[in-house]
């Protein structure tokens, strides 16, 4: 049994995704998170409109934006995020487990394609707001670590193209 007090970081990026905030504030989700050992939820709420809630067991904190986004990710045990490519990749590079929630209200939602591929590669789980409680039941420890970037790839490719390699 893991008795460590866990911290969840929820981020919607720089946009509005109030539906994600409202979904996580639902009693069913908060109960589930509490039963998983979470004691604190830090919401990064962007520019959306939402009602701040309080909870008897969980400490709920709300902030529009963070100067040290990666610091917030690093001190968390799980990240639940919108499907923005930059956010997904930043979180995956930290090695933290990630659940991506698709914003179904977006037109031409290309973000779902990225989330589907990253789930297919077993780096994260993705869902909609309506599927979040079921997704929380998945084995987060089975997710693969995202590979570190090879910073030499581009220069190697360029050298090959120029005939230097």
């Amino acid at each position: 049994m893991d008795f460590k007090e866990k911290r969840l970081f929820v981020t919607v990026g720089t946009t509005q995704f109030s539906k994600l905030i409202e979904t996580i504030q639902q009693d069913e989700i908060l109960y589930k998170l509490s039963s998983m050992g979470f004691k604190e939820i830090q919401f990064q709420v962007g520019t959306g409109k939402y009602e701040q809630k309080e909870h008897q067991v969980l400490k709920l904190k709300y902030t529009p934006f963070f100067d040290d986004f990666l610091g917030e990710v690093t001190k968390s045990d799980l990240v639940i995020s919108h499907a923005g490519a930059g956010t997904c990749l930043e979180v995956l590079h930290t090695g933290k487990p990630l659940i991506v929630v698709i914003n179904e209200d977006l037109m031409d939602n290309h973000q779902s394609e990225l989330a589907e591929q990253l789930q297919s590669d077993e780096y994260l789980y993705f869902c909609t707001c309506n599927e979040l409680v079921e997704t929380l039941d998945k084995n987060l420890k089975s997710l693969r670590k995202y590979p570190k970037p090879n910073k030499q790839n581009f220069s190697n490719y360029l050298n090959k193209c120029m005939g230097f390699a």
Side-chain angles (χ1 to χ4, degrees), residues 118-135:
L118 290 170
Q119 178 173 285
S120 175
D121 294 337
E122 300 176 354
Y123 296 124
L124 57 77
Y125 292 118
F126 86 94
C127 62
T128 63
C129 286
N130 293 336
E131 302 163 334
L132 183 57
V133 74
E134 293 87 4
T135 303

Side-chain angles (χ1 to χ4, degrees), residues 53-92:
K53 288 198 165 188
E54 293 185 11
H55 192 264
Q56 298 163 347
V57 176
L58 296 166
K59 181 178 182 181
L60 308 179
K61 299 178 358 182
Y62 301 83
T63 305
F65 303 103
F66 286 98
D67 291 331
D68 184 14
F69 176 80
L70 286 178
E72 292 299 316
V73 171
T74 301
K75 62 185 177 183
S76 298
D77 299 286
L78 171 64
V79 177
I80 297 177
S81 172
H82 70 121
T87 301
C88 289
L89 294 176
E90 281 187 283
V91 173
L92 289 174

Side-chain angles (χ1 to χ4, degrees), residues 28-69:
E28 179 182 22
I29 300 285
L30 293 175
Y31 175 79
K32 177 69 178 166
L33 291 167
S34 176
S35 73
M36 293 171 67
F38 288 95
K39 298 296 181 198
E40 179 181 332
I41 302 175
Q42 174 64 65
F43 291 94
Q44 182 270 308
V45 296
T47 59
K49 304 287 185 233
Y50 59 91
E51 180 183 326
Q52 289 190 15
K53 288 198 165 188
E54 293 185 11
H55 192 264
Q56 298 163 347
V57 176
L58 296 166
K59 181 178 182 181
L60 308 179
K61 299 178 358 182
Y62 301 83
T63 305
F65 303 103
F66 286 98
D67 291 331
D68 184 14
F69 176 80

Side-chain angles (χ1 to χ4, degrees), residues 11-29:
T11 177
V12 300
T14 58
T15 61
Q16 296 183 22
F17 192 6
S18 298
K19 186 174 181 181
L20 175 58
I21 304 298
E22 292 165 0
T23 297
I24 294 175
Q25 291 176 329
Q26 292 174 1
D27 289 338
E28 179 182 22
I29 300 285

